[in-house]
Amino acid sequence: MILDSSLCLETPEFPEALQYLYWTYVASCLVERAWRFALPALMALLSESLLPVALNSFISQLFVFVGGPLVGIFMDTVPRVLAFTVLSFMQTVSILVSAAMIVYATSNGLVLGSSALSILKLPWFSVLLLANAIDRITGIATGVAFERDWVVLLAGRSRTVALARANAMLRRVDLICEIIGPFVFGLALSKYSSVQCILISCVTAIVSLPLLILLVHHTYNVSNGVLDRPSMPIAADNKQSSSPGLKVFTQGWILYLVQPILPASIAYVLLSFNNVLAPSSLMTTFLTQRGLNPAVIGSYRGACALMGFLATYLASLLIGKFGTIKAGAISLTCQTSLLIGAVLLYFLCPMQNQSILFFFLLLVVLSRLGHWAYDMVIAQIFQTAVPLSNANVVSSAEMSLASFAELMMLAIAIIANDISHFGALACMSMAAVAIATSLYWAWSISESTKVLFKDQYV
């Protein structure tokens, strides 16, 4: 579809408030992305097993899967600024507690080589699991507030071009922070001790909290009351009001399963199963135990994020040339091909050779270009096919299913926690992406899809 040139002049409803929102998102993302990289890198120094990191990620995803609807209800029933402030405070405290537990473990002589099972039995590790789970769910909640609620109100739901530009800006901010945060922490970890790096992270988190609160209040003050828009009230029916979380969960699943884009969405969910051949905690642990410099690992994660940044432009080119549906098929096919190459390289060549290891990482990095391009494609398919009245509840169901896919992979990693099983985990990740590609291709060439999305083919 070609937009009229006059639409290019379209501006958001509240441009000044939107600018404050961008800066708030920068402050929020930078701390979260750096700590998301830092924690598994620091935990990898405590044990040679994947078990502690895998269990930590598993518990976090379980919290998201179970507690997501409840946090959503909290955000829908509490004033927006208050909800964001409470969630940001909880996230900062959880980061500080996690950092304290790592410092405690390090100062008490737990170093590389400790038994994974002995670590799991220690009280401080349980506290670490809980703190990181709270950090994860509050981080996702604040992200949802930015990406699904605030930006729509400030850019204007009916201002298609302005909203698209605002969405693209938030995505780029997220990816730039994903590049800078891990790289800076990895560089610091290569020059200073782990305790010094943790202290720097704690100071950054503490300083960023009042800055976040200040920025979000500025956003509110210049928004002319649009952020005061009342939320949808919970039904007065006693049976429904007694279990609103259950109602949201079941209604979301019913609406999700009847959507015509279900196969394309399931393909997107299957990509979440790829928790190994990605910039994940498992890959960070694997690379750390292969002896790579932390700065190199941080650069790897930054390069993956850079691919996401480039994908915001690549997806637009693919959609313009081939149409939305074909662009998704091309993106997934490229990702699958590169991951197949990476897995073959892992099994056919010795990973002890750093040149081969770097080429293996290069294939994984390039595969993220297809991953992020498909992420943008499925977002556009979602926006055009799902009724606006059902968009939030259907999206929640999709996110829950994606969390469940990650849980499954992490559960497998907990069982096969020895580093020697990394190759098998990589094969499973690659297979999930290949199945997603096959499923999407079958859906894209079906007659019902061609009829329903005939305007999105070129």
Side-chain angles (χ1 to χ4, degrees), residues 340-362:
I340 290 174
V343 170
L344 289 175
L345 185 67
Y346 180 90
F347 283 103
L348 297 178
C349 302
M351 286 294 109
Q352 291 79 6
N353 186 320
Q354 285 209 342
S355 297
I356 295 175
L357 181 58
F358 286 153
F359 189 63
F360 167 78
L361 291 178
L362 176 62

Side-chain angles (χ1 to χ4, degrees), residues 287-311:
L287 297 177
T288 300
Q289 294 177 4
R290 285 293 180 188
L292 282 189
N293 188 292
V296 175
I297 302 174
S299 298
Y300 154 72
R301 292 188 64 130
C304 288
L306 178 61
M307 292 301 103
F309 187 85
L310 295 176

Side-chain angles (χ1 to χ4, degrees), residues 64-70 73 243-257 393-394 396-401 403-404:
V64 173
F65 178 65
V66 176
L70 299 178
I73 291 171
S243 55
L246 180 61
K247 178 191 173 186
V248 169
F249 191 81
T250 55
Q251 182 184 7
W253 279 115
I254 293 172
L255 291 172
Y256 175 71
L257 294 174
V393 69
V394 172
S396 297
E398 183 183 62
M399 290 170 59
S400 294
L401 194 58
S403 273
F404 183 71

Side-chain angles (χ1 to χ4, degrees), residues 43 71 98 174 291 305 362 448:
M43 290 180 66
V71 175
S98 299
D174 185 5
L362 176 62
S448 60

Side-chain angles (χ1 to χ4, degrees), residues 57-199:
S57 298
F58 179 86
I59 295 298
S60 298
Q61 288 299 328
L62 185 61
F63 260 65
V64 173
F65 178 65
V66 176
L70 299 178
V71 175
I73 291 171
F74 167 76
M75 295 171 67
D76 283 340
T77 54
V78 173
R80 288 183 173 90
V81 174
L82 177 59
F84 180 86
T85 302
V86 171
L87 291 171
S88 297
F89 178 80
M90 291 176 62
Q91 184 178 19
T92 301
V93 171
S94 64
I95 290 175
L96 296 179
V97 172
S98 299
M101 294 302 101
I102 294 293
V103 171
Y104 173 80
T106 305
S107 62
N108 280 272
L110 287 174
V111 295
L112 184 62
S114 299
S115 166
L117 291 178
S118 67
I119 292 177
L120 300 185
K121 295 177 182 178
L122 297 174
W124 67 265
F125 188 74
S126 298
V127 176
L128 176 63
L129 292 180
L130 178 61
N132 188 60
I134 295 173
D135 169 38
R136 182 66 174 158
I137 196 170
T138 52
I140 289 177
T142 53
V144 168
F146 284 122
E147 299 170 8
R148 302 290 179 89
D149 187 13
W150 292 41
V151 68
V152 178
L153 295 174
L154 298 178
R157 185 180 295 275
S158 61
R159 297 173 184 254
T160 306
V161 176
L163 181 58
R165 288 176 176 172
N167 287 331
M169 180 62 72
L170 290 179
R171 175 65 57 81
R172 289 164 190 163
V173 166
D174 185 5
L175 293 168
I176 289 173
C177 291
E178 184 73 27
I179 295 171
I180 296 175
F183 177 76
V184 171
F185 189 90
L187 186 63
L189 195 58
S190 66
K191 295 180 177 296
Y192 306 103
S193 69
S194 59
V195 173
Q196 289 175 316
C197 293
I198 291 172
L199 291 177

